[in-house]
Amino acid sequence: MSERWLVMYEVSQKQRYIFRSNRLRENIGASTIIRWLTEAPERFFEEWRVPMPKPLHKSVGGGSALCLFKTRGEAEAFANELSLGVLKHLPGLELFLVTEPMDWEKDLLFAADDAPAGGRTNVIGILRDRLAAKKNRREHAVRQYTWGIHRQCPDSGMPANAYVDAPDADEPAARAMELIVKEAFGRKSQEDFDDRFLKGLEIQPVNGRKWEFMTQDYLEQVLGGEKSAKNYVAIVHIDGNAMGSKVGAFLETPFASNEDYLEQYARFTEDIDRAYRTAMRRMIEHVMREYDRWAGPIYGCSEAVLETYAHVVPLRPVVQSGDDVSFIALGQLGIEMARVFLQYLQQQSMEINGMPFRFDACAGVAVVRRKFPFWLAYELAEQLCANAKKRLKRESGLWRPDGEEDGGQPFEASLIDWEIASSGDVDPDVEARRARLFHTDEGPLLNRPYYLFREGGEGRYRHPSNYLTAFLPALDSISNSGMARGKWKALRSVYHQGRTAVAQWAVQNRFEIGQSLHVELPDRPGQASAYFYDAIEAMDHMIRLGEVSAQ
C-alpha cells in the first residue's frame, strides 16, 4: 500500500489575536507568528530546537496549511511538536489540527466522478470538514483565563505573567506573556513586510532614505491632540468577492493525478496572492507619488518636517494572505487608501482552466481614535466589509445588463463602506444601527456602502451610491461651494427632519449651491437619500487622493 499522511492545520480567530493590543510592533509580531506558522513552520522548529520532519509537499490556501508526509510517524511527530510548541511558546494562539491517512495510488485529493477501485475522492474536502467540525466544538467550550489572583496586564486586560522594563517608568511593568512574545517577534520581523511590499518600488523617496512603514514612534509623534482629526487611525479590512466562483472553476480542472492537483493548486493560490500583493504595492506607489497632496495637512508646513517623513509610508500592513488583507493607516487617508487599493486590484486578472477571471473585493474601514481598542475597531471593519458584500448580492440584478453573460463571475464590482467612530460608543451591528439612527420615512440618510466599478463600468449602475460619480463629487461640492463648514454640519442635523425641513432650512439660511440636496433612488420609487450626508460626515476625516489611471 502506497500510504501517505496528510496534516492540515489552521490558526483560529486570527484578527482577534493580532489586534489584542494597540501597539503596532505587537500587531506586526502577531501577524508574523501566524504567517510563519502556516507558511514556514520550520522557523519555529529551529527556534524551539526540535527536528522537523520534512514534508513531501506543503501548501497554504483558504486560511489553512497542508503538509504531506511519507509515514505516519513523521506526520504524528510534526503534529505533536507543532501543537506542543504552540502551547509552550505562543500563549493566546489557538491552533486546530487534523491528520488523515490516504492511499496515494487509490485515493484522490480532489473531487472526481470516479475514483480508482477501492479508493476515495476529495480527501482534501474530508480534511476541511473535520477541521471545521473541530473548530465548531471549540465554540461551546469555556476557557479559564485567570483564577482572580493574578495582577492584570494594563495593555490587554489579561493576567500578567512577567515584569518588563518600561520606558519612562521608575519600576518594571506587569505584562501578559502573550504581548511580550508578540513584541519579540515584531522586532525580529520588522523587515518582512518591507521586503514584500517596499522592495523594488518604481519610485524613490525624495529625501534619499530607504522606504519604511509607519512605526509606533511615528504614530506618537505625528498624531495630533484628542480633538483633532489627525488623532484618528483607520483599520482597513479587505476581502475578495466571488472567490467561490474562482475555486469552483479551479476544481473543474481535469487533474491528471494527485501530484498534478498539488502543483496546480500551488499556482492557483500564488496567482491570487500575487494579485493582492501587486494591488498593495501599486497603492503604496500611488500614495507616495502624491506626497505633496496629503503631507501638508498631516505634518504641517515645516520643510524640515516634511523632508523628515518623506520616506515613511503612512500605513502598516498587518494581514496579507491571499484575498484577506488588513492594514492600519493614518485616519485621514484610510478611506481613500481603500478606494485606491480596490481600483488597482480591479486591474489584475488570472487564468483558471483556460478562462480569464477578474478581481473585485469589498472593503470596510473603521476610522477610530488612536486609543480606541484595535480589536473592536477590526471587528467593526470586518462588519462593514460584510455589509458591503450583502449589498452587492442583494442588488446584483440592478447592475447586471439584461442578457449579458458573466462567465461565471457574478460580482463585477467592488464596494467600500466605512464608519467614523468619534466616540467610544460603537455598535458592531452596522445594519441595525443604521436602520435605527440613519433612516427616515422618506428614505435613508446614508448612501454607503459605495460601488466602485472598473474603468468603463460605471454606466452599468447609475445610482447615488457610486463612489467616483456621487460621493467624491459631493465632497468636491462642499469644498468648492463657498459655504462655511459650520453650515454644512448644520445641514447634516436638519437632514434627520426630512425633505420639507431641509428645503425650509435652505431658504432661511440662503443655502444655495445649485444642486439638489436630495437624490431620488432608482430602485425605491418615491424615496430619496440625503445626497451630501456621507460627504459632510467624512469631510474632516478624509484627504482626497488622485485618480487611478486606466491600465
Side-chain angles (χ1 to χ4, degrees):
M1 178 179 175
S2 54
E3 188 178 66
R4 296 287 186 272
W5 278 77
L6 296 168
V7 178
M8 180 178 285
Y9 62 95
E10 179 179 338
V11 175
S12 181
Q13 298 187 347
K14 299 180 184 68
Q15 283 74 20
R16 179 174 283 270
Y17 178 73
I18 290 170
F19 292 108
R20 194 106 71 186
S21 75
N22 281 36
R23 286 189 170 92
L24 278 180
R25 182 171 286 128
E26 290 161 10
N27 303 144
I28 299 162
S31 177
T32 298
I33 288 170
I34 293 172
R35 192 171 71 256
W36 287 3
L37 202 63
T38 52
E39 297 179 7
E42 61 274 7
R43 287 183 152 182
F44 284 106
F45 278 78
E46 183 179 341
E47 182 160 318
W48 299 335
R49 298 182 181 179
V50 175
M52 173 180 157
K54 188 174 181 180
L56 299 173
H57 172 85
K58 179 166 60 70
S59 60
V60 180
S64 60
L66 176 73
C67 293
L68 174 69
F69 292 95
K70 188 174 183 178
T71 68
R72 175 175 183 170
E74 291 177 338
E76 289 183 345
F78 175 83
N80 291 340
E81 293 297 346
L82 187 68
S83 302
L84 182 61
V86 167
L87 290 172
K88 288 175 63 176
H89 304 290
L90 303 175
L93 187 138
E94 287 189 340
L95 180 74
F96 289 88
L97 181 150
V98 292
T99 61
E100 181 77 18
M102 69 175 292
D103 187 317
W104 195 249
E105 301 299 330
K106 293 183 178 180
D107 295 339
L108 297 179
L109 292 169
F110 50 93
D113 294 333
D114 297 304
R120 299 173 297 167
T121 65
N122 197 22
V123 176
I124 294 289
I126 294 172
L127 272 169
R128 291 196 187 282
D129 289 344
R130 288 184 56 205
L131 194 61
K134 200 169 188 178
K135 290 169 64 179
N136 187 57
R137 287 197 298 272
R138 186 263 292 135
E139 290 179 3
H140 306 292
V142 176
R143 186 173 181 182
Q144 182 84 33
Y145 282 97
T146 177
W147 296 103
I149 58 175
H150 297 84
R151 187 166 180 177
Q152 191 178 57
C153 170
D155 297 313
S156 66
M158 296 182 292
N161 311 98
Y163 288 98
V164 297
D165 292 331
D168 304 323
D170 296 331
E171 59 183 28
R175 300 206 76 206
M177 183 57 69
E178 177 182 326
L179 302 188
I180 296 172
V181 171
K182 289 176 180 176
E183 182 176 11
F185 274 92
R187 293 181 184 279
K188 291 179 187 177
S189 60
Q190 194 76 27
E191 296 182 359
D192 269 24
F193 277 119
D194 294 6
D195 290 342
R196 192 170 196 184
F197 297 118
L198 301 181
K199 191 174 182 179
L201 291 182
E202 295 180 359
I203 58 172
Q204 296 298 322
V206 295
N207 61 7
R209 298 178 63 181
K210 182 182 177 183
W211 290 119
E212 63 180 54
F213 289 115
M214 67 183 190
T215 63
Q216 187 68 36
D217 290 340
Y218 168 89
L219 285 180
E220 299 292 340
Q221 294 166 7
V222 169
L223 296 186
E226 286 300 316
K227 294 184 179 180
S228 169
K230 287 170 58 180
N231 194 47
Y232 286 72
V233 295
I235 309 293
V236 181
H237 174 64
I238 296 170
D239 191 39
N241 291 345
M243 294 305 295
S245 65
K246 294 180 176 64
V247 173
F250 169 75
L251 293 177
E252 290 177 1
T253 302
F255 304 111
S257 62
N258 286 327
E259 290 87 350
D260 182 44
Y261 169 84
L262 292 174
E263 289 176 7
Q264 294 204 46
Y265 184 69
R267 288 197 296 270
F268 173 75
T269 56
E270 172 55 29
D271 285 347
I272 294 172
D273 192 73
R274 172 198 50 76
Y276 282 79
R277 185 171 63 246
T278 300
M280 176 69 81
R281 290 172 61 86
R282 297 291 86 82
M283 182 263 284
I284 290 169
E285 291 173 343
H286 187 105
V287 170
M288 298 314 294
R289 279 195 182 99
E290 300 193 341
Y291 184 74
D292 292 341
R293 179 190 288 260
W294 56 264
I298 290 175
Y299 300 138
C301 300
S302 168
E303 292 293 334
V305 173
L306 290 171
E307 183 177 353
T308 297
Y309 292 125
H311 67 292
V312 180
V313 181
L315 66 92
R316 166 61 66 174
V318 179
V319 177
Q320 205 278 303
S321 177
D323 69 320
D324 186 7
V325 176
S326 298
F327 59 88
I328 303 171
L330 295 185
Q332 291 174 289
L333 295 174
I335 297 172
E336 277 284 79
M337 280 185 176
R339 183 266 298 180
V340 171
F341 181 100
L342 292 176
Q343 287 190 280
Y344 280 113
L345 179 66
Q346 289 177 327
Q347 295 181 359
Q348 309 303 312
S349 64
M350 67 184 293
E351 188 175 285
I352 306 173
N353 202 14
M355 238 181 100
F357 277 75
R358 301 172 293 268
F359 284 93
D360 281 289
C362 286
V365 186
V367 183
V368 299
R369 292 189 183 277
R370 178 169 53 94
K371 299 296 185 182
F372 192 87
F374 278 4
W375 69 267
L376 185 57
Y378 177 81
E379 186 176 323
L380 176 60
E382 197 172 39
Q383 289 299 317
L384 290 164
C385 183
N387 192 50
K389 285 178 175 286
K390 286 180 184 178
R391 179 171 199 170
L392 185 57
K393 291 180 181 179
R394 185 174 62 243
E395 300 181 349
S396 62
L398 295 173
W399 49 261
R400 185 186 294 118
D402 291 339
E404 180 166 320
E405 294 294 330
D406 57 23
Q409 303 177 62
F411 305 132
E412 195 181 335
S414 296
L415 278 90
I416 180 171
D417 198 1
W418 65 85
E419 285 284 340
I420 299 169
S422 56
S423 68
D425 183 18
V426 174
D427 184 355
D429 191 340
V430 175
E431 279 191 299
R433 178 173 177 270
R434 290 179 177 176
R436 186 174 69 251
L437 301 177
F438 300 98
H439 201 284
T440 69
D441 293 338
E442 298 171 339
L445 298 176
L446 308 180
N447 285 310
R448 59 186 193 264
Y450 280 92
Y451 284 91
L452 269 172
F453 292 96
R454 56 178 41 79
E455 186 73 16
E458 64 276 359
R460 288 183 161 206
Y461 190 41
R462 298 192 180 280
H463 190 281
S465 294
N466 188 316
Y467 191 97
L468 298 178
T469 61
F471 173 70
L472 289 183
L475 202 65
D476 291 340
S477 293
I478 292 174
S479 300
N480 302 326
S481 67
M483 293 288 179
R485 295 172 82 83
K487 276 195 174 183
W488 282 103
K489 292 179 179 180
L491 171 62
R492 183 177 62 175
S493 298
V494 179
Y495 265 134
H496 286 266
Q497 301 172 33
R499 298 178 71 176
T500 301
V502 168
Q504 293 174 348
W505 177 88
V507 172
Q508 293 168 358
N509 289 271
R510 298 181 180 178
F511 196 85
E512 299 175 0
I513 60 171
Q515 287 180 258
S516 173
L517 300 180
H518 285 84
V519 60
E520 300 293 333
L521 297 177
D523 55 324
R524 302 181 193 177
Q527 290 197 345
S529 65
Y531 181 66
F532 288 97
Y533 198 101
D534 290 319
I536 296 170
E537 186 181 53
M539 64 183 183
D540 289 337
H541 296 273
M542 181 175 164
I543 297 173
R544 280 283 310 271
L545 297 176
E547 296 180 3
V548 171
S549 301
Q551 193 173 27

